[in-house]
Amino acid sequence: MSTEPSSSSPSGAALGRALLAYCEARRVADAEARRELSLNELDARALIFVAENPGARPSHVRDHLGITSAGVTTLIDRLVQRGAVRRDLDAEDRRVNHITAIVDLDTPPWSRLRAFDAGIEQALLQVDPSRAAQAAELMEHLTAAASR
Protein backbone atom coordinates (compact mmCIF):
# COMPACT_ATOMS: atom_id res chain seq x y z
CA MET A 1 0.00 0.00 0.00
CA SER A 2 1.41 3.40 -1.00
CA THR A 3 1.86 6.17 1.54
CA GLU A 4 1.64 8.75 -1.23
CA PRO A 5 -1.56 10.75 -0.96
CA SER A 6 -3.83 10.51 -3.95
CA SER A 7 -5.50 13.69 -5.05
CA SER A 8 -7.13 14.99 -8.17
CA SER A 9 -5.38 18.36 -7.80
CA PRO A 10 -1.67 19.16 -7.65
CA SER A 11 -2.24 21.44 -4.64
CA GLY A 12 -4.13 18.66 -2.85
CA ALA A 13 -1.27 16.25 -3.50
CA ALA A 14 1.25 18.84 -2.27
CA LEU A 15 -0.77 19.40 0.90
CA GLY A 16 -0.97 15.64 1.47
CA ARG A 17 2.81 15.33 1.08
CA ALA A 18 3.37 18.29 3.42
CA LEU A 19 1.13 16.73 6.08
CA LEU A 20 2.92 13.40 5.80
CA ALA A 21 6.30 15.16 6.00
CA TYR A 22 5.17 17.05 9.12
CA CYS A 23 4.02 13.83 10.79
CA GLU A 24 7.26 12.06 9.92
CA ALA A 25 9.44 14.95 11.12
CA ARG A 26 7.53 15.05 14.42
CA ARG A 27 7.80 11.28 14.82
CA VAL A 28 11.55 11.37 14.20
CA ALA A 29 12.05 14.29 16.61
CA ASP A 30 10.02 12.52 19.30
CA ALA A 31 11.92 9.27 18.81
CA GLU A 32 15.28 11.05 19.01
CA ALA A 33 14.25 12.91 22.18
CA ARG A 34 13.07 9.67 23.82
CA ARG A 35 16.31 7.95 22.82
CA GLU A 36 18.42 10.78 24.29
CA LEU A 37 16.40 10.66 27.52
CA SER A 38 16.22 6.85 27.62
CA LEU A 39 12.42 6.88 27.77
CA ASN A 40 9.99 4.67 25.94
CA GLU A 41 7.03 6.25 24.16
CA LEU A 42 4.50 5.49 26.91
CA ASP A 43 6.75 6.87 29.64
CA ALA A 44 7.32 10.06 27.65
CA ARG A 45 3.60 10.52 27.02
CA ALA A 46 2.88 9.92 30.72
CA LEU A 47 5.54 12.40 31.81
CA ILE A 48 4.16 15.09 29.50
CA PHE A 49 0.62 14.40 30.75
CA VAL A 50 1.69 14.63 34.40
CA ALA A 51 3.65 17.83 33.73
CA GLU A 52 0.56 19.35 32.13
CA ASN A 53 -1.72 18.00 34.91
CA PRO A 54 0.16 18.39 38.21
CA GLY A 55 -1.29 16.24 40.96
CA ALA A 56 -2.94 13.83 38.54
CA ARG A 57 -4.07 10.58 40.02
CA PRO A 58 -2.70 7.34 38.57
CA SER A 59 -6.20 6.57 37.25
CA HIS A 60 -6.09 9.80 35.21
CA VAL A 61 -2.75 8.74 33.71
CA ARG A 62 -4.14 5.25 33.07
CA ASP A 63 -7.23 6.64 31.32
CA HIS A 64 -5.19 9.09 29.24
CA LEU A 65 -2.84 6.35 28.03
CA GLY A 66 -5.43 3.58 27.79
CA ILE A 67 -3.44 1.09 29.85
CA THR A 68 -4.23 -1.20 32.79
CA SER A 69 -3.95 -0.28 36.46
CA ALA A 70 -0.96 -2.62 36.81
CA GLY A 71 0.62 -1.02 33.75
CA VAL A 72 0.27 2.50 35.10
CA THR A 73 1.72 1.44 38.46
CA THR A 74 4.78 -0.01 36.75
CA LEU A 75 5.11 3.03 34.49
CA ILE A 76 4.92 5.48 37.42
CA ASP A 77 7.44 3.36 39.34
CA ARG A 78 9.87 3.77 36.42
CA LEU A 79 9.36 7.53 36.31
CA VAL A 80 9.81 7.81 40.09
CA GLN A 81 13.05 5.78 39.88
CA ARG A 82 14.25 8.10 37.08
CA GLY A 83 13.61 11.10 39.34
CA ALA A 84 11.12 12.51 36.85
CA VAL A 85 7.98 12.40 39.01
CA ARG A 86 7.01 11.99 42.63
CA ARG A 87 4.05 10.38 44.35
CA ASP A 88 2.28 12.35 47.06
CA LEU A 89 -0.30 10.84 49.36
CA ASP A 90 -3.64 12.61 49.45
CA ALA A 91 -4.08 14.43 52.76
CA GLU A 92 -7.74 13.38 53.00
CA ASP A 93 -7.57 9.82 51.67
CA ARG A 94 -4.28 7.99 52.24
CA ARG A 95 -5.28 5.36 49.64
CA VAL A 96 -4.97 8.01 46.91
CA ASN A 97 -1.73 9.14 45.27
CA HIS A 98 -1.13 12.30 43.30
CA ILE A 99 1.62 12.33 40.68
CA THR A 100 3.66 15.46 40.05
CA ALA A 101 6.51 16.04 37.62
CA ILE A 102 9.72 17.10 39.34
CA VAL A 103 11.61 17.77 36.13
CA ASP A 104 11.09 20.94 34.14
CA LEU A 105 10.01 20.13 30.59
CA ASP A 106 10.98 23.66 29.55
CA THR A 107 14.68 23.19 30.34
CA PRO A 108 17.28 20.81 28.89
CA PRO A 109 17.49 17.93 28.66
CA TRP A 110 13.77 17.42 29.30
CA SER A 111 12.76 20.21 26.91
CA ARG A 112 13.73 17.81 24.09
CA LEU A 113 10.40 16.05 24.62
CA ARG A 114 8.53 19.09 23.32
CA ALA A 115 11.21 20.76 21.19
CA PHE A 116 9.56 20.03 17.84
CA ASP A 117 6.19 21.35 18.98
CA ALA A 118 7.89 24.41 20.51
CA GLY A 119 9.58 25.03 17.16
CA ILE A 120 6.24 24.84 15.39
CA GLU A 121 4.72 27.27 17.91
CA GLN A 122 7.59 29.71 17.27
CA ALA A 123 7.15 29.40 13.50
CA LEU A 124 3.41 30.03 13.86
CA LEU A 125 4.16 33.40 15.44
CA GLN A 126 5.36 34.47 11.98
CA VAL A 127 2.12 33.39 10.26
CA ASP A 128 -0.76 35.78 9.62
CA PRO A 129 -3.48 34.95 12.20
CA SER A 130 -6.26 34.67 9.60
CA ARG A 131 -4.12 32.31 7.52
CA ALA A 132 -3.36 30.24 10.64
CA ALA A 133 -7.09 30.07 11.44
CA GLN A 134 -7.85 28.84 7.92
CA ALA A 135 -5.11 26.23 8.17
CA ALA A 136 -6.43 25.08 11.55
CA GLU A 137 -9.93 24.72 10.13
CA LEU A 138 -8.58 22.71 7.19
CA MET A 139 -6.51 20.47 9.51
CA GLU A 140 -9.54 19.82 11.73
CA HIS A 141 -11.62 18.94 8.67
CA LEU A 142 -8.97 16.60 7.25
CA THR A 143 -8.35 14.94 10.61
CA ALA A 144 -12.07 14.34 11.15
CA ALA A 145 -12.49 12.98 7.62
CA ALA A 146 -9.51 10.61 7.94
CA SER A 147 -10.70 9.42 11.37
CA ARG A 148 -14.12 8.34 10.13
Side-chain angles (χ1 to χ4, degrees):
M1 172 178 222
S2 173
T3 59
E4 279 295 308
S6 61
S7 177
S8 58
S9 73
S11 60
L15 177 58
R17 285 190 302 276
L19 290 171
L20 290 174
Y22 166 83
C23 291
E24 180 63 9
R26 188 173 192 272
R27 187 195 65 73
V28 167
D30 287 350
E32 179 65 19
R34 290 191 315 269
R35 187 191 63 72
E36 287 178 17
L37 295 167
S38 299
L39 291 173
N40 67 42
E41 181 180 358
L42 217 49
D43 290 4
R45 288 178 52 210
L47 179 57
I48 291 169
F49 178 81
V50 169
E52 293 173 351
N53 299 278
R57 293 174 64 165
S59 60
H60 299 151
V61 178
R62 178 197 69 212
D63 293 346
H64 175 72
L65 298 175
I67 60 176
T68 65
S69 294
V72 80
T73 299
T74 302
L75 182 153
I76 292 169
D77 286 345
R78 283 193 304 269
L79 292 176
V80 167
Q81 289 172 352
R82 283 286 315 270
V85 303
R86 73 170 188 259
R87 282 189 183 96
D88 298 310
L89 289 176
D90 187 281
E92 310 259 327
D93 185 348
R94 308 242 342 131
R95 297 170 297 172
V96 175
N97 286 301
H98 296 279
I99 312 303
T100 303
I102 55 176
V103 295
D104 183 354
L105 296 188
D106 292 328
T107 60
W110 300 101
S111 58
R112 295 282 297 136
L113 287 174
R114 297 194 292 200
F116 185 85
D117 292 342
I120 292 293
E121 288 175 16
Q122 284 298 310
L124 286 171
L125 295 175
Q126 307 303 314
V127 175
D128 176 82
S130 64
R131 193 169 171 210
Q134 289 175 333
E137 185 179 321
L138 178 59
M139 290 299 303
E140 289 169 358
H141 169 76
L142 294 172
T143 302
S147 298
R148 285 188 209 117

